[in-house]
Amino acid sequence: MPEQAVAVAGGIIGGTLLFVLLGITAYLLWKKFCCLFSYEKLINPVKTTNANAIFQDQANSEIQQESTRSRSVPFVIPPTLHRRDLIHLTNEEQVQEDRDPFMTPQSGPRSSFHSLAGAYVVGTVNPDLYKLPEDKSETDFPDGSIGRLWFSIEYEQESERLLVSLIKVRKLQPPADSCSPFVKIYLLPDERSYLQSKTKRKTLNPQFDENFVFQVSSKMLLQRTLKFLVYHVDKQNKHHLLGQVIFPLKNEALTEDNKLVIWRDLEKENLEPPSEHGDIQFSLSYNDYLGRLTVVVLRARGLKLQEESPAAGVYVKVSLMNHNKFIKSKKTAALLGTPNPVYNETFSFKTDQTELDTASLSLSVLQTNKGEKTLLLGRVVVGPFMYTRGRELEHWNEMISKPKELVKRWHALCHST
């Protein structure tokens, strides 16, 4: 009997000790678990207030400031952390410990520093500063616009293919109420062959999204020019030219990794027949502040090339004269074998404003062969009343009356010297 009592007492004591040991172990594990998941709280030197009051005050402040500043996005510090005595937000603003999650600062402008549900707004970000530039190509059209054309180009070096994508045309000005447009694409100087788009019915804003391929060697690529002709088909199936785009390739970096998307305003085609020796188109501009005379040689048409030298280069020589005394000359690149070359090259000459009454510009179109003498195809002189009359004088006077503005005109070539 005593032995049974001793056994029972030993069991009770052992169980008690085991229970105490398990309790201590559980407490230690719980304490360690709490330490792992504890967090620090940012400290705030501010007095507590009611959450509803905070939201109402913030709304009132934003309404008052909306008329004086653009809409902005708060720049927020996340909910505050624990066990920090002092944190400097800026050189002048501080926060100290406060366990209330709804806090407001005692001083400072509310727009630059206030708290909201434990998060601090320390400033604002204006979204307008991070927007991409707005594309105004479909909204800003010049006065007298007859339409605008979008296209893209890229060049495959290995296969020697020029890829042209006709994208769209906007705001066409047809001769009638309805418009059914299509586009012909040429790769000048070859004007005998072209590629043609589908016809879009009854629209002034056709969307084409068509791809075309021209075979051209890399050596000749930069001497070629793309020409887009936009036509309208009437009810009698007659074609009416609405406008054109001329795009030289010589100034473009064409590669397979560089697909250029381009837009150009349509121009009216010069329907007058070319003069006896051909015509040349160029722009003049004078900057009175810089004392700079600018000439943009655009293109020529109807040139009378020498039949025995079809591969000859044709270029334009621009010479500045003063009192018929040669001052300086510059030349365009020579284009091979075309009576309608497109240059689009710009030249500038230093000219004082007082010299405009005695200065003049001579533009000569020349054809040359290797090892042969240069042949003059035609020439035109623009300048003041001392040297010119008619369209050449009008062009010069319009340039002077419109400083810093490019004035573009066609002129007939002649052989007079």
Side-chain angles (χ1 to χ4, degrees):
M1 193 72 179
E3 294 178 357
Q4 293 180 352
V6 170
V8 170
I12 293 174
I13 294 172
T16 302
L17 292 176
L18 179 62
F19 180 78
V20 171
L21 181 61
L22 289 175
I24 294 173
T25 303
Y27 173 76
L28 293 176
L29 290 174
W30 175 81
K31 188 174 181 180
K32 184 176 181 181
F33 179 82
C34 291
C35 291
L36 288 176
F37 287 91
S38 66
Y39 62 91
E40 294 183 354
K41 190 172 186 179
L42 272 185
I43 337 177
N44 197 3
V46 293
K47 59 185 179 181
T48 63
T49 184
N50 184 272
N52 293 331
I54 294 298
F55 288 114
Q56 184 66 34
D57 189 34
Q58 179 190 2
N60 294 336
S61 175
E62 290 178 352
I63 292 174
Q64 292 174 0
Q65 297 176 12
E66 185 174 0
S67 60
T68 58
R69 62 180 176 85
S70 62
R71 180 176 295 180
S72 58
V73 177
F75 186 79
V76 179
I77 290 182
T80 56
L81 300 178
H82 192 58
R83 296 178 184 172
R84 288 277 177 92
D85 292 332
L86 191 62
I87 298 178
H88 293 274
L89 289 181
T90 67
N91 291 336
E92 299 178 355
E93 298 169 333
Q94 301 175 350
V95 292
Q96 67 186 19
E97 184 173 7
D98 193 331
R99 296 179 182 272
D100 195 329
F102 302 101
M103 296 171 285
T104 55
Q106 292 180 342
S107 62
R110 189 173 299 274
S111 61
S112 62
F113 182 91
H114 63 274
S115 64
L116 180 60
Y120 290 91
V121 180
V122 295
T124 59
V125 177
N126 186 354
D128 294 336
L129 298 177
Y130 302 93
K131 288 182 178 179
L132 292 174
E134 183 181 358
D135 182 11
K136 297 183 179 180
S137 63
E138 292 201 43
T139 57
D140 291 351
F141 287 80
D143 294 337
S145 170
I146 60 174
R148 183 170 289 172
L149 181 143
W150 281 259
F151 62 97
S152 67
I153 54 175
E154 59 181 316
Y155 186 69
E156 293 182 349
Q157 192 78 28
E158 185 175 347
S159 59
E160 295 189 330
R161 299 195 311 167
L162 177 66
L163 310 180
V164 180
S165 296
L166 177 63
I167 301 173
K168 61 188 176 183
V169 181
R170 292 293 181 265
K171 289 198 173 181
L172 290 173
Q173 303 296 321
D177 294 337
S178 64
C179 182
S180 297
F182 70 91
V183 181
K184 291 182 180 180
I185 307 175
Y186 296 81
L187 186 61
L188 303 179
D190 183 9
E191 296 192 76
R192 294 172 296 178
S193 60
Y194 59 85
L195 301 176
Q196 182 172 320
S197 73
K198 296 178 182 178
T199 301
K200 302 297 180 178
R201 298 293 177 183
K202 297 182 180 180
T203 176
L204 299 177
N205 303 292
Q207 187 77 28
F208 292 99
D209 294 324
E210 296 184 44
N211 300 315
F212 305 90
V213 178
F214 291 93
Q215 200 72 39
V216 55
S217 68
S218 56
K219 293 181 180 179
M220 298 297 298
L221 179 65
L222 299 183
Q223 299 186 24
R224 310 302 284 272
T225 298
L226 281 171
K227 180 179 180 180
F228 300 85
L229 297 181
V230 182
Y231 288 90
H232 156 63
V233 183
D234 63 18
K235 294 180 181 179
Q236 287 74 37
N237 206 31
K238 292 183 179 179
H239 297 177
H240 303 272
L241 181 62
L242 300 180
Q244 66 176 3
V245 168
I246 306 293
F247 186 78
L249 299 176
K250 62 181 179 181
N251 296 325
E252 304 301 327
L254 298 175
T255 64
E256 295 182 39
D257 299 329
N258 184 22
K259 184 175 182 178
L260 301 176
V261 178
I262 302 151
W263 60 264
R264 289 290 186 273
D265 288 315
L266 296 179
E267 297 180 343
K268 292 182 178 179
E269 187 182 39
N270 188 352
L271 300 178
E272 299 178 4
S275 58
E276 180 182 359
H277 302 289
D279 302 311
I280 185 171
Q281 186 188 44
F282 57 91
S283 298
L284 296 178
S285 175
Y286 183 73
N287 189 318
D288 50 357
Y289 179 76
L290 299 176
R292 185 173 61 198
L293 177 62
T294 300
V295 185
V296 183
V297 181
L298 297 170
R299 69 195 78 170
R301 67 186 187 114
L303 300 179
K304 302 300 186 289
L305 303 179
Q306 290 293 308
E307 296 181 0
E308 62 270 18
S309 53
V314 178
Y315 66 94
V316 179
K317 180 180 179 182
V318 184
S319 301
L320 175 65
M321 314 289 289
N322 196 347
H323 288 292
N324 285 329
K325 180 181 177 181
F326 172 79
I327 303 298
K328 194 172 185 179
S329 67
K330 299 182 180 182
K331 300 177 182 179
T332 68
L335 302 182
L336 300 181
T338 171
N340 304 299
V342 179
Y343 296 100
N344 272 8
E345 294 194 34
T346 302
F347 307 102
S348 294
F349 300 91
K350 194 70 176 178
T351 308
D352 192 83
Q353 191 169 6
T354 58
E355 299 174 340
L356 294 180
D357 290 334
T358 58
S360 64
L361 281 172
S362 170
L363 288 90
S364 302
V365 182
L366 302 157
Q367 179 180 351
T368 181
N369 276 333
K370 292 182 179 180
E372 297 185 11
K373 186 177 180 180
T374 300
L375 176 67
L376 177 67
L377 300 180
R379 180 171 175 261
V380 64
V381 176
V382 291
F385 185 79
M386 183 184 297
Y387 308 108
T388 62
R389 300 290 187 274
R391 292 177 61 86
E392 289 70 37
L393 176 61
E394 291 174 4
H395 198 175
W396 187 265
N397 289 338
E398 187 177 359
M399 174 198 71
I400 296 175
S401 65
K402 298 177 179 179
K404 303 181 183 70
E405 181 178 333
L406 282 172
V407 181
K408 179 171 61 177
R409 286 202 178 186
W410 281 97
H411 294 274
L413 296 170
C414 62
H415 267 289
S416 59
T417 57

